[in-house]
Each structure stands twice: as C-alpha cells, then as structure tokens.
Amino acid sequence: MAQNQRLYEYLSQHAEEISSTWYETIEETDPNSIYASTDPAVIKNLKSQNLAFNYKISRIFIDEEEVYLPILKAWAFEVTQDQEHLKTPIHYIIREFVRVRDLYISYMKDFVHINQDTVKSEEAEDLYHTLIKAFDLVIHIFIEEMYKNTSLQLQAQKDMITELSAPVIVLFHSVGLLPLIGDIDTVRAKLIMENTLNQCAKKR
C-alpha cells in the first residue's frame, strides 16, 4: 500500500503536466469534434474536465472500487451532459481516452524506473493492470452515459416531430383544423390519432 500511495502522489503531482501534454498533442481537423474547437470557453472547459479526470483516476491506487467508482461515474455523467461532447463522434472520444491512458502508462514507467530498487517487476505489472482496467471501466461508463443521453435527445426530437407533423390549429371555440401533408400509413395514422386527441385535450 505504501507503494500505491507514492504512485498516487507522483501522478497527482504530474496531473497538470499530463493534462497539458495531452491537449498540446491533440491532432484534430473534424469541425464536429470538440477537440478541434477554437472557442476559448470550450477549450477552457475541455482542459478543466481532463484535469479533473486526472486527479480522480489516480485515486484507483489508494481507494477501494466502491469508493472511486461512484466518483468516476459522477465525472462521466457530468461530461456527457456537455453538448460539445454530445456532438463529438464517439470514436474520437475513445481515441482521446486511449491517448490519456498511454500518457499515464508512460508516467508510471518513469515512476517504476525512479523506484526500481523498491518496485519489483511483478508489482509494476499489477500497477499497469490496475490502470488499464480502470480506463476500460471509465470508457464503458462513459459510452453507457453517452448512449443514455443520446437516446433521450432522439426521443425528445421524435416527440417534437410527431407533434409538429399533425398540429391542431384552433379556429374558434370547439372547432379546430388538422392539416395533413404526405402519405398516411397505419403507423402514422395511429400517431396522428393519439397526438390529435392529446392536443385537443390540452387546448380545451
């Protein structure tokens, strides 16, 4: 445990350096990606999110899973509420998780080299395994939260389209107009009926 504590302190001390190196080495040209943004506010928020992650992920070496897991979940939930991340293709986000993980492995190798007299090869392998497992877990959590948010957004858009596709226009008391354009199949007819009844009930 003493070795884990020293590693945690080492990574925490280099958290800002890791974050800066990560951002400075981003290579992105897709305008739909948060990583290509030139907006100062977006960039500031992105750097802040990454630095917060760095401090949280390091705790895997000193905390039990039941302690650090909710912290990582809370971080993932917060970031996936960010519209800039929601607009970014998921494979770009996974790519950046992997790049951050690789940076951590590099710093851990430096730590092992500095402490080669006290860190055995078996211990080093265990530390690497712990880190990789934690990153895999975070990526899984992040994708799950991203999927939930995307599904909610798609459902909201679908509900809006459904409502707009059959709008009830009130002409005067107890009389309304239902303009319909396009083909009406069984599915659309059912939606029109349900939506019309709901709108009529609201407009009474």
Side-chain angles (χ1 to χ4, degrees), residues 18-59:
I18 293 172
S19 190
S20 296
T21 301
W22 165 74
Y23 184 78
E24 290 167 4
T25 54
I26 290 176
E27 296 181 2
E28 187 63 272
T29 57
D30 189 337
N32 295 315
S33 170
I34 186 175
Y35 308 112
S37 178
T38 57
D39 185 329
V42 173
I43 293 172
K44 181 180 179 181
N45 191 44
L46 178 62
K47 289 181 176 180
S48 176
Q49 290 169 340
N50 178 260
L51 183 58
F53 172 76
N54 287 351
Y55 283 119
K56 296 178 193 304
I57 195 68
S58 297
R59 299 199 66 87

Side-chain angles (χ1 to χ4, degrees), residues 161-203:
I161 291 171
T162 299
E163 184 171 345
L164 293 174
S165 67
V168 175
I169 301 172
V170 178
L171 299 179
F172 47 88
H173 184 65
S174 298
V175 178
L177 174 67
L178 179 64
L180 297 173
I181 300 174
D183 297 332
I184 300 176
D185 57 14
T186 305
V187 175
R188 189 181 177 202
K190 182 175 182 292
L191 290 173
I192 289 172
M193 182 64 70
E194 293 175 352
N195 185 52
T196 301
L197 291 173
N198 288 333
Q199 288 190 69
C200 289
K202 292 178 182 177
K203 296 175 186 292

Side-chain angles (χ1 to χ4, degrees), residues 46 48-54 56-57 68-81 85 93 97 138-139 141-142 145:
L46 178 62
S48 176
Q49 290 169 340
N50 178 260
L51 183 58
F53 172 76
N54 287 351
K56 296 178 193 304
I57 195 68
Y68 70 72
L69 188 56
I71 294 173
L72 292 174
K73 282 185 175 180
W75 176 87
F77 178 80
E78 180 180 339
V79 175
T80 53
Q81 305 300 306
H85 272 95
I93 296 174
F97 268 121
V138 172
I139 291 172
I141 293 170
F142 195 93
E145 290 297 335

Side-chain angles (χ1 to χ4, degrees), residues 4-22:
N4 283 26
Q5 180 67 37
R6 284 195 292 272
L7 176 58
Y8 164 72
E9 292 172 357
Y10 179 82
L11 293 175
S12 295
Q13 290 167 5
H14 291 83
E16 292 188 15
E17 185 179 315
I18 293 172
S19 190
S20 296
T21 301
W22 165 74

